[in-house]
Amino acid sequence: LAKTTQPISMDSYEGQEVNITCSHNNIATNDYITWYQQFPSQGPRFIIQGYKTKVTNEVASLFIPADRKSSTLSLPRVSLSDTAVYYCLVPYNQGGKLIFGQGTELSVKP
Amino acid sequence: EAGVAQSPRYKIIEKRQSVAFWCNPISGHATLYWYQQILGQGPKLLIQFQNNGVVDDSQLPKDRFSAERLKGVDSTLKIQPAKLEDSAVYLCASTPGLAGTSTDTQYFGPGTRLTVL
């Protein structure tokens, strides 16, 4: 069972880089790691997905070490609008079902 | 491209009453999901459809919850009778690919906030 563990909450200030680490010790060989963002009163929204090493898009970067037992979401120069809950998802078996954990509540302060 | 639509956005009922939620996924998306999100927790999958067939309903409380996707497009989720602990946001999501594809992005609707008094 690929259960994920993330910090429950994090605080940051505008303009800082924020790194949120997720551990997934039992990740399967074919599993991808996906991160979602959720604002209050909205459904979760896809941010980034990766399999190994590093992935970067216009919003974030995702770092995955060689053993793939953890991953780090990096948000460069956060703003107040990045205040949200961030979820790390890993399928828990070969069926590909996505399990949401509690997520990390990021609070960005001015 | 239109997103996932859900209605109503809010619903308040008394316990033991019935309620139904509606979801219209993104056009052409084969797989549809219903999630329950209790305040302060991550979404929990209730049921997963591929076209009009159920792929996974292992977490659906079948004594009171039911869902259907008759023509493989829209879906309804019903609770009958509702309990206090059913107060939550009910989210619908869809993906273009087959159920269980871990690389497929899930597109979520805004959710329906249910309050059971």
Side-chain angles (χ1 to χ4, degrees), chain B residues 98-112:
Chain B
L98 299 177
T101 306
S102 69
T103 55
D104 234 357
T105 299
Q106 293 195 20
Y107 296 86
F108 284 82
T112 297

Side-chain angles (χ1 to χ4, degrees), chain A residues 36 38 44 49 87 95-98, chain B residues 37 42-43 56 100 102-103 106 108:
Chain A
Y36 281 76
Q38 186 175 25
Q49 183 180 76
Y87 295 97
K97 184 186 298 186
L98 299 179
Chain B
Q37 185 171 25
D56 186 345
S102 69
T103 55
Q106 293 195 20
F108 284 82

Side-chain angles (χ1 to χ4, degrees), chain B residues 7 19 21 55 59 62 66 68 74 77 85 101 103 110-111 114 116-117:
Chain B
S7 68
V19 65
F21 312 126
V55 174
Q59 303 246 64
K62 298 180 188 63
S66 64
E68 60 183 13
D74 293 7
L77 176 69
E85 59 261 36
T101 306
T103 55
L114 173 68
V116 182
L117 303 176

Side-chain angles (χ1 to χ4, degrees), chain A residues 7-16 18 20 38 75 78-86 104-110:
Chain A
I8 292 176
S9 64
M10 295 181 68
D11 291 331
S12 182
Y13 291 93
E14 284 189 292
Q16 289 186 330
V18 171
I20 305 174
Q38 186 175 25
L75 305 172
V78 293
S79 65
L80 296 176
S81 62
D82 293 315
T83 293
V85 178
Y86 293 82
T104 298
E105 186 172 6
L106 173 65
S107 177
V108 180
K109 302 174 182 177

Side-chain angles (χ1 to χ4, degrees), chain B residues 24-110:
Chain B
N24 185 12
I26 293 173
S27 177
H29 279 199
T31 305
L32 184 147
Y33 309 79
W34 281 102
Y35 291 86
Q36 179 193 59
Q37 185 171 25
I38 292 172
L39 187 64
Q41 300 181 17
K44 182 184 86 169
L45 180 68
L46 291 176
I47 189 168
Q48 184 178 0
F49 292 93
Q50 181 172 311
N51 297 315
N52 61 351
V54 175
V55 174
D56 186 345
D57 63 357
S58 58
Q59 303 246 64
L60 188 72
K62 298 180 188 63
D63 58 334
R64 299 184 299 108
F65 286 65
S66 64
E68 60 183 13
R69 193 184 183 200
L70 291 177
K71 297 183 179 179
V73 182
D74 293 7
S75 176
T76 55
L77 176 69
K78 297 179 181 178
I79 307 175
Q80 182 180 5
K83 292 185 175 181
L84 296 177
E85 59 261 36
D86 298 331
S87 293
V89 175
Y90 291 85
L91 294 161
C92 178
S94 68
T95 58
L98 299 177
T101 306
S102 69
T103 55
D104 234 357
T105 299
Q106 293 195 20
Y107 296 86
F108 284 82

